[in-house]
């Protein structure tokens, strides 16, 4: 619904602009003005994609509601990893995983924009792919871990962090792949995780 609403706003703006052009402008200027309107509509829709104006008017009841609003017509979210200032929501569409970091406050959950999500860490070790994401400058960090060799993994850290898992089965490879998700606070250079006996230091970028 997030994207559809912005397209509708652009269409309404464009229709009203064309109405004014054909009603009040001279014939020789209409082609140029029409091209300008089309460009303005595209620009407006693009800009609105980075402006969650809904946040000024409404708070959602859960992180899942935000995800379903942002990724309209997608399957229900499969996992929510809770943080202090935001939550990490994972879903899928056509067997492809999507995620959205959703900020929250005392009134509820707000729309999080993908451009505000920063990939702080990217690691590859013995086929294990590890990412750490942060939303804006919050103290919440979200880890994703996947062994590209397939199968389940053993994942742990020194803080006994709880790692959640989601399974995917690849029909062409005839393999099961499991991605692990966790939340940590205040990432530091010494923090590490152990994945299948491999120690990976996250802060050592």
């Amino acid at each position: 619904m997030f994207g559809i609403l912005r397209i509708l706003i652009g269409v309404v703006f464009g229709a009203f602009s064309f109405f004014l052009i054909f009603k009040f402008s001279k014939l020789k200027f209409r082609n140029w003005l029409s091209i300008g309107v089309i460009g303005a509509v595209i620009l407006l829709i693009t800009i609105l994609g980075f402006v969650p104006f809904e946040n000024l008017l409404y708070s959602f009841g859960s992180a899942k509601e935000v995800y379903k609003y942002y990724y309209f017509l997608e399957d229900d979210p499969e996992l929510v990893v809770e943080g202090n200032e935001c939550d990490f929501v994972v879903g899928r569409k056509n067997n492809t995983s999507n995620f959205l970091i959703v900020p929250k406050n005392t009134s509820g959950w707000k729309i999080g924009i993908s451009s505000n999500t920063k990939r702080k860490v990217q690691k590859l070790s013995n086929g294990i792919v590890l990412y750490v994401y942060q939303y804006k400058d919050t103290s919440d960090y979200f880890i994703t871990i996947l062994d590209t060799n397939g199968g389940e993994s053993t994942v742990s850290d020194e803080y006994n962090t709880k790692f959640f898992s989601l399974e995917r089965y690849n029909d062409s490879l005839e393999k099961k792949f499991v991605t692990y998700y966790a939340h940590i606070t205040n990432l530091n250079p010494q923090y590490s995780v152990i994945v299948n006996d491999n120690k990976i230091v996250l802060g050592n970028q």
Side-chain angles (χ1 to χ4, degrees):
M1 195 65 185
F2 180 88
I4 293 175
L5 178 59
R6 279 142 181 83
I7 292 173
L8 288 175
I9 291 174
V11 169
V12 171
F13 171 80
F16 182 70
S17 299
F18 279 121
F19 170 77
L20 295 178
I21 288 172
F22 282 91
K23 187 172 180 63
F24 298 109
S25 68
K26 294 181 179 181
L27 183 62
K28 62 180 180 179
F29 296 122
R30 287 179 181 173
N31 286 341
W32 291 107
L33 290 172
S34 297
I35 293 172
V37 167
I38 293 172
V41 168
I42 295 172
L43 180 62
L44 176 63
I45 293 173
T46 302
I47 291 173
L48 289 177
F50 295 94
V51 181
F53 55 82
E54 296 94 332
N55 288 344
L56 299 174
L57 307 171
Y58 183 73
S59 294
F60 291 81
S62 70
K64 285 187 175 183
E65 287 184 20
V66 178
Y67 183 94
K68 292 172 71 173
Y69 180 83
Y70 193 83
Y71 290 115
F72 191 56
L73 297 179
E74 193 168 304
D75 295 339
D76 286 343
E78 299 174 287
L79 175 65
V80 176
V81 181
E82 296 184 1
N84 298 321
E85 301 174 73
C86 47
D87 294 340
F88 189 95
V89 188
V90 185
R92 84 164 88 180
K93 183 176 184 179
N94 300 326
N95 210 33
T96 300
S97 293
N98 283 323
F99 75 86
L100 184 68
I101 300 182
V102 181
K104 57 186 177 181
N105 55 30
T106 54
S107 64
W109 285 258
K110 299 293 185 176
I111 298 172
I113 302 300
S114 298
S115 59
N116 287 329
T117 296
K118 298 179 285 187
R119 183 184 290 175
K120 301 295 292 184
V121 179
Q122 177 177 331
K123 295 283 188 176
L124 176 61
S125 176
N126 297 322
I128 298 166
V129 179
L130 185 151
Y131 298 117
V132 178
Y133 298 96
Q134 179 191 24
Y135 187 80
K136 290 188 174 180
D137 294 320
T138 65
S139 61
D140 292 318
Y141 296 87
F142 298 94
I143 307 171
T144 71
I145 298 170
L146 170 66
D147 187 347
T148 59
N149 298 305
E152 297 182 355
S153 302
T154 56
V155 184
S156 63
D157 67 5
E158 60 184 303
Y159 301 110
N160 294 318
T161 300
K162 184 174 182 179
F163 288 85
F164 302 88
S165 63
L166 286 178
E167 295 183 5
R168 297 281 188 270
Y169 187 80
N170 189 303
D171 293 325
S172 60
L173 297 176
E174 297 183 344
K175 279 186 177 183
K176 177 177 70 174
F177 294 88
V178 183
T179 305
Y180 296 84
Y181 303 87
H183 164 259
I184 61 173
T185 303
N186 294 321
L187 180 69
N188 64 74
Q190 291 76 40
Y191 178 80
S192 64
V193 294
I194 299 175
V195 185
N196 299 333
D197 297 325
N198 294 295
K199 184 176 181 180
I200 304 173
V201 181
L202 274 64
N204 188 22
Q205 281 291 90

